[in-house]
DNA sequence: AATTCCTTCAACCGCGAAGAA
DNA sequence: GTTCTTCGCGGTTGAAGGAAT
Protein backbone atom coordinates (compact mmCIF):
# COMPACT_ATOMS: atom_id res chain seq x y z
CA UNK A 1 0.00 0.00 0.00
CA UNK A 2 1.27 3.45 -0.87
CA UNK A 3 0.89 5.96 1.87
CA UNK A 4 0.74 9.64 1.20
CA UNK A 5 3.89 11.36 2.23
CA UNK A 6 3.79 13.58 5.25
CA UNK A 7 4.57 17.25 5.00
CA UNK A 8 8.31 17.08 5.43
CA UNK A 9 9.94 13.97 4.10
CA UNK A 10 9.05 14.46 0.47
CA UNK A 11 10.59 17.92 0.35
CA UNK A 12 13.56 17.22 2.53
CA UNK A 13 14.26 13.67 1.50
CA UNK A 14 13.82 12.41 5.00
CA UNK A 15 13.94 8.72 5.65
CA UNK A 16 11.01 6.72 6.94
CA UNK A 17 10.38 3.12 7.80
CA UNK A 18 12.24 0.81 10.16
CA UNK A 19 15.14 2.19 12.12
CA UNK A 20 18.62 0.75 11.75
CA UNK A 21 20.87 0.07 14.76
CA UNK A 22 23.11 2.91 13.59
CA UNK A 23 20.23 5.35 13.63
CA UNK A 24 19.19 4.14 17.06
CA UNK A 25 22.71 4.71 18.33
CA UNK A 26 22.82 8.21 16.91
CA UNK A 27 19.49 9.06 18.49
CA UNK A 28 20.41 7.68 21.90
CA UNK A 29 23.77 9.44 21.88
CA UNK A 30 22.21 12.72 20.90
CA UNK A 31 19.55 12.53 23.60
CA UNK A 32 22.14 11.60 26.21
CA UNK A 33 24.19 14.58 25.12
CA UNK A 34 21.57 17.25 24.49
CA UNK A 35 18.35 15.90 25.94
CA UNK A 36 15.17 16.08 23.90
CA UNK A 37 13.70 19.42 24.67
CA UNK A 38 13.17 20.14 20.99
CA UNK A 39 12.31 17.20 18.82
CA UNK A 40 12.23 19.36 15.73
CA UNK A 41 15.88 20.32 16.03
CA UNK A 42 17.06 16.96 17.32
CA UNK A 43 17.53 15.15 13.98
CA UNK A 44 19.97 17.79 12.74
CA UNK A 45 21.95 17.64 15.97
CA UNK A 46 22.00 13.85 15.85
CA UNK A 47 22.90 13.70 12.19
CA UNK A 48 19.74 11.81 11.34
CA UNK A 49 17.70 12.13 8.19
CA UNK A 50 14.47 11.65 10.08
CA UNK A 51 11.78 14.05 11.12
CA UNK A 52 11.51 15.03 14.77
CA UNK A 53 8.25 13.25 15.07
CA UNK A 54 9.80 9.97 14.01
CA UNK A 55 12.68 10.46 16.47
CA UNK A 56 10.28 11.16 19.30
CA UNK A 57 8.26 8.06 18.55
CA UNK A 58 11.32 5.87 18.31
CA UNK A 59 12.64 7.14 21.63
CA UNK A 60 9.36 6.99 23.52
CA UNK A 61 8.22 3.63 22.22
CA UNK A 62 11.47 1.76 21.89
CA UNK A 63 14.74 3.34 22.99
CA UNK A 64 13.77 4.92 26.29
CA UNK A 65 15.71 3.12 29.04
CA UNK A 66 12.80 2.76 31.45
CA UNK A 67 10.68 0.63 29.17
CA UNK A 68 9.69 -2.85 30.17
CA UNK A 69 9.40 -5.09 27.15
CA UNK A 70 8.07 -8.59 26.83
CA UNK A 71 4.83 -10.26 27.77
CA UNK A 72 2.22 -8.51 29.81
CA UNK A 73 1.50 -10.03 33.19
CA UNK A 74 -1.99 -11.05 34.24
CA UNK A 75 -1.98 -8.13 36.64
CA UNK A 76 -1.13 -5.73 33.85
CA UNK A 77 -3.86 -7.21 31.67
CA UNK A 78 -6.40 -6.73 34.42
CA UNK A 79 -5.28 -3.18 35.00
CA UNK A 80 -5.61 -2.34 31.34
CA UNK A 81 -9.07 -3.84 31.09
CA UNK A 82 -10.26 -2.07 34.21
CA UNK A 83 -8.85 1.24 33.11
CA UNK A 84 -10.26 0.79 29.65
CA UNK A 85 -13.70 0.24 31.15
CA UNK A 86 -13.31 3.58 32.88
CA UNK A 87 -11.39 5.60 30.35
CA UNK A 88 -12.02 4.11 26.95
CA UNK A 89 -9.27 4.39 24.37
CA UNK A 90 -7.28 6.96 26.32
CA UNK A 91 -4.09 5.05 25.96
CA UNK A 92 -1.81 7.76 27.19
CA UNK A 93 -3.78 8.09 30.43
CA UNK A 94 -3.88 4.32 30.83
CA UNK A 95 -0.14 4.16 30.19
CA UNK A 96 0.50 6.49 33.11
CA UNK A 97 -0.72 3.77 35.41
CA UNK A 98 1.61 1.23 33.85
CA UNK A 99 4.77 3.31 34.04
CA UNK A 100 7.06 0.95 32.17
CA UNK A 101 4.70 0.43 29.27
CA UNK A 102 4.10 2.81 26.42
CA UNK A 103 0.73 3.89 25.18
CA UNK A 104 1.50 2.37 21.80
CA UNK A 105 2.39 -0.96 23.35
CA UNK A 106 -0.75 -0.99 25.47
CA UNK A 107 -2.85 -0.06 22.49
CA UNK A 108 -1.35 -2.85 20.41
CA UNK A 109 -1.75 -5.33 23.25
CA UNK A 110 -5.37 -4.33 23.65
CA UNK A 111 -6.12 -4.69 19.96
CA UNK A 112 -4.30 -7.97 19.51
CA UNK A 113 -5.00 -9.80 22.76
CA UNK A 114 -7.28 -8.23 25.33
CA UNK A 115 -10.04 -7.16 22.99
CA UNK A 116 -10.28 -10.62 21.51
CA UNK A 117 -10.16 -12.18 24.94
CA UNK A 118 -13.17 -10.15 26.02
CA UNK A 119 -15.09 -11.02 22.88
CA UNK A 120 -14.33 -14.71 23.44
CA UNK A 121 -15.77 -14.37 26.92
CA UNK A 122 -18.89 -12.77 25.51
CA UNK A 123 -18.05 -9.28 26.69
CA UNK A 124 -18.39 -6.26 24.48
CA UNK A 125 -14.89 -4.71 24.50
CA UNK A 126 -16.31 -1.23 23.97
CA UNK A 127 -19.00 -1.20 26.63
CA UNK A 128 -17.53 -3.93 28.85
CA UNK A 129 -20.99 -5.37 29.12
CA UNK A 130 -22.13 -8.81 28.02
CA UNK A 131 -22.71 -9.01 24.30
CA UNK A 132 -26.36 -9.11 23.19
CA UNK A 133 -27.41 -7.72 26.52
CA UNK A 134 -30.87 -6.40 25.89
CA UNK A 135 -30.94 -4.52 29.17
CA UNK A 136 -27.78 -2.76 28.22
CA UNK A 137 -29.27 -1.65 24.95
CA UNK A 138 -32.18 -0.16 26.85
CA UNK A 139 -29.83 1.66 29.14
CA UNK A 140 -27.86 2.97 26.20
CA UNK A 141 -31.07 4.24 24.66
CA UNK A 142 -32.06 5.88 27.92
CA UNK A 143 -28.68 7.48 28.14
CA UNK A 144 -28.90 8.84 24.64
CA UNK A 145 -32.41 10.16 25.21
CA UNK A 146 -31.32 11.94 28.37
CA UNK A 147 -28.33 13.36 26.61
CA UNK A 148 -30.32 14.67 23.69
CA UNK A 149 -32.87 16.23 26.01
CA UNK A 150 -30.15 17.89 28.03
CA UNK A 151 -28.39 19.21 24.96
CA UNK A 152 -31.62 20.54 23.52
CA UNK A 153 -32.31 22.33 26.76
CA UNK A 154 -28.83 23.74 26.85
CA UNK A 155 -29.17 25.12 23.38
CA UNK A 156 -32.55 26.58 24.22
CA UNK A 157 -31.20 28.11 27.40
CA UNK A 158 -28.27 29.58 25.58
CA UNK A 159 -30.56 31.00 22.96
CA UNK A 160 -32.33 32.92 25.71
CA UNK A 161 -29.05 34.13 27.12
CA UNK A 162 -27.88 35.28 23.73
CA UNK A 163 -31.05 37.25 23.31
CA UNK A 164 -30.74 38.78 26.75
CA UNK A 165 -27.13 39.71 26.15
CA UNK A 166 -27.90 41.30 22.82
CA UNK A 167 -30.81 43.28 24.24
CA UNK A 168 -28.84 44.23 27.32
CA UNK A 169 -25.68 45.47 25.69
CA UNK A 170 -26.33 47.67 22.71
CA UNK A 171 -22.64 48.47 22.44
CA UNK A 172 -21.66 45.00 21.37
CA UNK A 173 -21.87 44.54 17.67
CA UNK A 174 -23.75 41.59 16.31
CA UNK A 175 -20.73 40.40 14.43
CA UNK A 176 -18.82 39.90 17.64
CA UNK A 177 -21.46 37.49 18.85
CA UNK A 178 -21.41 34.13 17.16
CA UNK A 179 -24.79 33.05 15.91
CA UNK A 180 -26.58 30.26 17.68
CA UNK A 181 -26.51 28.16 14.58
CA UNK A 182 -22.81 28.63 14.26
CA UNK A 183 -22.33 27.79 17.87
CA UNK A 184 -24.19 24.56 17.48
CA UNK A 185 -22.49 23.71 14.24
CA UNK A 186 -19.13 24.50 15.68
CA UNK A 187 -19.96 22.45 18.70
CA UNK A 188 -19.57 25.34 21.08
CA UNK A 189 -22.44 25.93 23.38
CA UNK A 190 -22.26 27.07 26.95
CA UNK A 191 -23.24 25.06 29.94
CA UNK A 192 -26.69 26.10 30.85
CA UNK A 193 -28.84 24.66 33.47
CA UNK A 194 -30.05 22.51 34.97
CA UNK A 195 -26.94 20.44 34.54
CA UNK A 196 -27.00 17.51 32.23
CA UNK A 197 -26.04 15.28 35.10
CA UNK A 198 -29.53 15.46 36.48
CA UNK A 199 -30.90 13.88 33.36
CA UNK A 200 -28.16 11.39 33.51
CA UNK A 201 -28.97 10.70 37.11
CA UNK A 202 -32.47 9.65 36.28
CA UNK A 203 -31.08 7.08 33.96
CA UNK A 204 -28.43 6.15 36.41
CA UNK A 205 -30.95 5.70 39.17
CA UNK A 206 -32.96 3.37 37.04
CA UNK A 207 -29.92 1.41 36.16
CA UNK A 208 -28.98 1.00 39.78
CA UNK A 209 -32.43 0.05 40.88
CA UNK A 210 -32.67 -2.48 38.12
CA UNK A 211 -29.49 -4.17 39.21
CA UNK A 212 -29.69 -3.76 42.93
CA UNK A 213 -32.13 -6.62 43.21
CA UNK A 214 -29.30 -8.95 42.52
CA UNK A 215 -27.70 -8.79 45.95
CA UNK A 216 -25.50 -11.77 45.47
CA UNK A 217 -23.52 -10.24 42.64
CA UNK A 218 -23.33 -6.51 43.14
CA UNK A 219 -21.89 -4.90 40.08
CA UNK A 220 -20.58 -1.59 39.04
CA UNK A 221 -23.02 -0.75 36.35
CA UNK A 222 -21.66 0.11 32.96
CA UNK A 223 -23.63 3.33 33.06
CA UNK A 224 -21.34 4.46 35.82
CA UNK A 225 -18.29 3.48 33.88
CA UNK A 226 -19.76 5.17 30.86
CA UNK A 227 -20.30 8.35 32.80
CA UNK A 228 -16.79 8.23 34.09
CA UNK A 229 -15.50 7.69 30.64
CA UNK A 230 -17.02 10.86 29.33
CA UNK A 231 -15.92 14.42 29.60
CA UNK A 232 -18.07 16.42 31.91
CA UNK A 233 -20.93 14.00 31.75
CA UNK A 234 -21.32 14.07 28.06
CA UNK A 235 -22.01 10.76 26.46
CA UNK A 236 -19.44 9.40 24.06
CA UNK A 237 -21.71 10.54 21.27
CA UNK A 238 -22.14 14.02 22.58
CA UNK A 239 -21.75 16.74 20.02
CA UNK A 240 -21.49 19.58 22.44
CA UNK A 241 -18.51 21.05 24.16
CA UNK A 242 -18.27 24.16 26.19
CA UNK A 243 -16.13 27.24 26.41
CA UNK A 244 -14.80 28.56 29.66
CA UNK A 245 -16.09 32.07 29.16
CA UNK A 246 -19.66 31.33 30.01
CA UNK A 247 -21.37 34.26 31.67
CA UNK A 248 -21.48 33.64 35.37
CA UNK A 249 -25.21 34.15 35.54
CA UNK A 250 -25.72 31.22 33.24
CA UNK A 251 -24.20 28.90 35.75
CA UNK A 252 -26.21 26.93 38.19
CA UNK A 253 -27.04 28.75 41.39
CA UNK A 254 -26.80 26.59 44.45
CA UNK A 255 -24.60 24.09 42.75
CA UNK A 256 -20.89 23.72 42.76
CA UNK A 257 -21.08 21.61 39.66
CA UNK A 258 -19.62 24.42 37.65
CA UNK A 259 -17.13 25.46 40.24
CA UNK A 260 -15.33 22.22 39.85
CA UNK A 261 -12.67 22.57 37.28
CA UNK A 262 -9.16 21.45 36.61
CA UNK A 263 -7.59 24.31 38.46
CA UNK A 264 -9.64 23.62 41.56
CA UNK A 265 -8.16 20.21 42.06
CA UNK A 266 -5.77 19.70 44.89
CA UNK A 267 -4.45 16.70 46.69
CA UNK A 268 -5.47 17.79 50.13
CA UNK A 269 -9.04 16.71 50.58
CA UNK A 270 -10.64 13.76 48.99
CA UNK A 271 -14.07 12.54 48.16
CA UNK A 272 -14.84 9.13 46.88
CA UNK A 273 -18.14 7.42 46.34
CA UNK A 274 -18.67 4.26 48.30
CA UNK A 275 -20.99 1.47 47.38
CA UNK A 276 -23.03 -0.35 49.92
CA UNK A 277 -23.74 -4.03 49.66
CA UNK A 278 -26.44 -3.39 47.16
CA UNK A 279 -24.11 -1.54 44.93
CA UNK A 280 -25.74 1.79 45.68
CA UNK A 281 -23.46 4.73 46.07
CA UNK A 282 -24.10 5.83 49.60
CA UNK A 283 -21.37 7.93 51.06
CA UNK A 284 -17.93 9.30 50.87
CA UNK A 285 -14.69 8.27 52.37
CA UNK A 286 -11.45 10.02 52.61
CA UNK A 287 -8.41 8.67 50.95
CA UNK A 288 -4.95 9.67 51.96
CA UNK A 289 -3.42 11.93 49.38
CA UNK A 290 -0.83 10.38 47.18
CA UNK A 291 2.75 11.25 47.78
CA UNK A 292 4.70 13.13 45.20
CA UNK A 293 2.82 12.65 42.01
CA UNK A 294 4.91 14.06 39.28
CA UNK A 295 2.50 13.52 36.49
CA UNK A 296 -0.09 16.10 35.74
CA UNK A 297 -3.63 15.27 36.59
CA UNK A 298 -5.00 18.10 34.57
CA UNK A 299 -5.74 16.07 31.52
CA UNK A 300 -7.64 13.40 33.34
CA UNK A 301 -10.84 15.09 32.35
CA UNK A 302 -13.03 12.23 33.29
CA UNK A 303 -11.79 12.49 36.80
CA UNK A 304 -12.85 16.10 36.82
CA UNK A 305 -16.22 14.98 35.58
CA UNK A 306 -16.37 12.43 38.31
CA UNK A 307 -15.57 15.02 40.90
CA UNK A 308 -18.07 17.38 39.40
CA UNK A 309 -20.73 14.77 39.47
CA UNK A 310 -20.97 13.91 43.11
CA UNK A 311 -21.91 17.29 44.58
CA UNK A 312 -24.65 17.55 42.02
CA UNK A 313 -25.71 14.01 42.67
CA UNK A 314 -26.04 14.78 46.32
CA UNK A 315 -28.05 17.90 45.62
CA UNK A 316 -30.28 15.99 43.31
CA UNK A 317 -31.05 13.47 45.98
CA UNK A 318 -31.55 16.15 48.59
CA UNK A 319 -33.82 18.16 46.32
CA UNK A 320 -35.90 15.09 45.72
CA UNK A 321 -35.95 14.18 49.41
CA UNK A 322 -34.58 10.80 48.75
CA UNK A 323 -33.45 8.34 51.37
CA UNK A 324 -30.23 9.06 53.21
CA UNK A 325 -28.75 5.83 51.97
CA UNK A 326 -28.83 7.24 48.52
CA UNK A 327 -27.13 10.45 49.43
CA UNK A 328 -23.61 10.75 48.32
CA UNK A 329 -21.96 12.32 51.30
CA UNK A 330 -20.27 15.60 51.74
CA UNK A 331 -19.00 17.48 48.80
CA UNK A 332 -15.51 18.75 48.63
CA UNK A 333 -13.45 20.43 46.03
CA UNK A 334 -10.02 18.89 46.40
CA UNK A 335 -9.90 15.40 45.03
CA UNK A 336 -7.07 12.99 44.88
CA UNK A 337 -7.79 11.37 41.56
CA UNK A 338 -4.67 9.32 41.58
CA UNK A 339 -5.75 7.68 44.79
CA UNK A 340 -9.23 7.10 43.46
CA UNK A 341 -7.95 5.56 40.30
CA UNK A 342 -5.48 3.48 42.25
CA UNK A 343 -8.33 2.32 44.41
CA UNK A 344 -10.34 1.38 41.39
CA UNK A 345 -7.46 -0.47 39.87
CA UNK A 346 -6.65 -2.18 43.14
CA UNK A 347 -10.10 -3.46 43.64
CA UNK A 348 -12.13 -0.64 45.09
CA UNK A 349 -15.05 -0.37 45.51
CA UNK A 350 -15.00 -3.63 47.43
CA UNK A 351 -18.52 -4.51 46.48
CA UNK A 352 -18.19 -3.86 42.82
CA UNK A 353 -16.78 -6.12 40.21
CA UNK A 354 -15.03 -5.01 37.11
CA UNK A 355 -14.93 -7.33 34.18
CA UNK A 356 -11.70 -9.18 34.41
CA UNK A 357 -10.13 -11.15 31.60
C1' DA B 1 7.63 -27.06 -1.10
C1' DA B 2 4.63 -23.40 -2.50
C1' DT B 3 1.00 -20.51 -1.61
C1' DT B 4 -2.40 -18.20 1.02
C1' DC B 5 -4.17 -16.51 5.18
C1' DC B 6 -3.64 -14.63 9.73
C1' DT B 7 -1.38 -12.21 13.54
C1' DT B 8 1.66 -9.01 15.50
C1' DC B 9 3.62 -4.63 16.36
C1' DA B 10 6.74 -0.81 14.87
C1' DA B 11 5.96 3.08 12.52
C1' DC B 12 3.24 6.46 10.05
C1' DC B 13 -0.53 9.84 9.47
C1' DG B 14 -3.76 13.39 10.49
C1' DC B 15 -5.67 16.11 13.83
C1' DG B 16 -6.25 19.05 17.84
C1' DA B 17 -4.11 21.50 21.67
C1' DA B 18 -0.72 24.43 23.43
C1' DG B 19 2.69 27.69 23.12
C1' DA B 20 5.48 31.05 20.56
C1' DA B 21 6.03 34.77 17.39
C1' DG C 1 -6.12 38.68 18.19
C1' DT C 2 -4.08 36.02 14.58
C1' DT C 3 -0.90 32.99 12.49
C1' DC C 4 2.65 29.71 12.76
C1' DT C 5 5.14 25.95 14.90
C1' DT C 6 5.64 22.12 17.76
C1' DC C 7 4.06 18.44 20.43
C1' DG C 8 1.25 14.59 21.77
C1' DC C 9 -2.48 11.51 20.92
C1' DG C 10 -5.29 7.90 18.80
C1' DG C 11 -6.31 5.47 14.62
C1' DT C 12 -4.39 2.98 11.00
C1' DT C 13 -1.08 0.71 8.01
C1' DG C 14 1.98 -2.71 6.18
C1' DA C 15 6.22 -5.56 6.60
C1' DA C 16 7.55 -9.68 8.71
C1' DG C 17 6.86 -14.03 10.39
C1' DG C 18 4.05 -17.96 11.64
C1' DA C 19 0.18 -21.14 10.74
C1' DA C 20 -2.80 -23.44 7.74
C1' DT C 21 -3.86 -25.45 3.40
Amino acid sequence: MVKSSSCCEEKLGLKKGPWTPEEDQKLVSSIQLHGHRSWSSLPAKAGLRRCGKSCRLRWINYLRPDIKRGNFSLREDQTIVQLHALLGNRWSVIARHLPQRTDNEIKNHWNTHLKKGLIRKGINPTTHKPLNDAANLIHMAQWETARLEAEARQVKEYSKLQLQNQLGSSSSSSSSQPSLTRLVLNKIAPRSLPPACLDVLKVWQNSWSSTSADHSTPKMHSMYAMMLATDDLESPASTLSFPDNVPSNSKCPNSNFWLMNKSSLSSTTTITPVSNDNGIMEGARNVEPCGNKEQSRGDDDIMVAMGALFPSVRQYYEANEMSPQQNLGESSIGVDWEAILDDLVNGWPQSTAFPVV
Side-chain angles (χ1 to χ4, degrees):
Chain A
M1 174 180 143
V2 179
K3 276 185 177 180
S4 62
S5 296
S6 61
C7 53
C8 51
E9 69 256 25
E10 218 171 46
K11 289 176 193 168
L12 303 175
L14 297 178
K15 189 183 170 190
K16 49 194 279 189
W19 282 64
T20 64
E22 292 75 24
E23 286 178 311
D24 284 346
Q25 187 52 52
K26 282 183 182 176
L27 182 57
V28 170
S29 300
S30 177
I31 287 174
Q32 283 170 348
L33 202 63
H34 305 109
H36 53 76
R37 279 163 57 176
S38 172
W39 289 112
S40 56
S41 61
L42 191 145
K45 284 181 191 164
L48 288 163
R49 287 174 57 209
R50 297 269 184 177
C51 69
K53 212 172 177 178
S54 181
C55 294
R56 176 184 162 271
L57 211 63
R58 183 64 180 171
W59 173 256
I60 287 174
N61 288 336
Y62 201 83
L63 298 174
R64 222 175 58 189
D66 57 335
I67 286 179
K68 179 169 124 192
R69 305 199 69 81
N71 293 338
F72 281 71
S73 68
L74 181 61
R75 176 76 181 166
E76 286 177 312
D77 284 353
Q78 289 175 348
T79 300
I80 294 167
V81 171
Q82 289 169 0
L83 287 172
H84 188 272
L86 285 165
L87 302 165
N89 296 355
R90 297 181 136 185
W91 305 116
S92 62
V93 181
I94 292 172
R96 281 179 215 152
H97 296 273
L98 292 150
Q100 294 176 302
R101 301 290 188 180
T102 69
D103 55 354
N104 203 41
E105 195 178 13
I106 292 168
K107 180 174 60 183
N108 283 333
H109 186 58
W110 170 264
N111 286 326
T112 56
H113 296 104
L114 301 181
K115 200 171 166 182
K116 289 170 189 171
L118 287 176
I119 291 169
R120 270 199 301 275
K121 291 177 192 308
I123 296 168
N124 184 324
T126 305
T127 62
H128 292 260
K129 286 285 290 178
L131 290 163
N132 305 319
D133 182 349
N136 189 45
L137 290 176
I138 292 168
H139 289 140
M140 291 290 284
Q142 287 176 323
W143 169 275
E144 191 61 14
T145 302
R147 183 185 69 77
L148 289 171
E149 284 173 0
E151 287 186 359
R153 195 169 52 247
Q154 285 167 347
V155 170
K156 192 176 167 185
E157 196 72 25
Y158 184 62
S159 170
K160 280 185 197 168
L161 269 171
Q162 283 283 95
L163 195 62
Q164 285 168 6
N165 287 344
Q166 282 170 9
L167 290 173
S169 62
S170 56
S171 59
S172 61
S173 67
S174 60
S175 61
S176 67
Q177 298 273 357
S179 73
L180 178 63
T181 307
R182 197 170 134 223
L183 279 170
V184 173
L185 288 175
N186 290 339
K187 301 196 293 180
I188 51 169
R191 300 181 185 281
S192 57
L193 293 165
C197 68
L198 296 187
D199 297 274
V200 166
L201 276 166
K202 291 174 191 168
V203 179
W204 190 26
Q205 229 185 328
N206 291 337
S207 72
W208 280 113
S209 60
S210 66
T211 55
S212 60
D214 183 6
H215 291 190
S216 59
T217 55
K219 283 191 280 195
M220 178 184 210
H221 197 275
S222 69
M223 189 62 70
Y224 178 47
M226 202 161 77
M227 289 161 73
L228 294 179
T230 60
D231 285 352
D232 290 352
L233 307 177
E234 292 165 40
S235 84
S238 175
T239 57
L240 293 180
S241 60
F242 306 94
D244 292 325
N245 57 345
V246 183
S248 60
N249 64 358
S250 73
K251 297 180 180 179
C252 181
N254 310 319
S255 167
N256 53 7
F257 180 77
W258 308 113
L259 301 180
M260 194 75 176
N261 55 41
K262 290 175 184 178
S263 60
S264 72
L265 297 181
S266 75
S267 59
T268 53
T269 318
T270 60
I271 175 173
T272 60
V274 175
S275 298
N276 66 12
D277 290 340
N278 295 337
I280 294 174
M281 314 304 272
E282 66 173 2
R285 72 170 183 175
N286 284 332
V287 178
E288 286 300 312
C290 286
N292 55 330
K293 297 293 182 183
E294 290 180 3
Q295 70 201 42
S296 163
R297 298 176 192 133
D299 51 0
D300 290 5
D301 294 341
I302 49 92
M303 294 305 160
V304 177
M306 185 175 169
L309 172 64
F310 288 102
S312 292
V313 170
R314 186 184 57 128
Q315 286 182 350
Y316 174 77
Y317 281 122
E318 285 173 354
N320 289 280
E321 297 179 346
M322 298 174 77
S323 63
Q325 293 95 312
Q326 289 172 298
N327 282 344
L328 288 157
E330 296 301 314
S331 65
S332 70
I333 290 179
V335 179
D336 186 346
W337 302 114
E338 288 295 334
I340 294 171
L341 203 48
D342 286 345
D343 277 344
L344 290 170
V345 169
N346 294 323
W348 173 85
Q350 299 296 328
S351 60
T352 64
F354 288 101
V356 172
V357 184

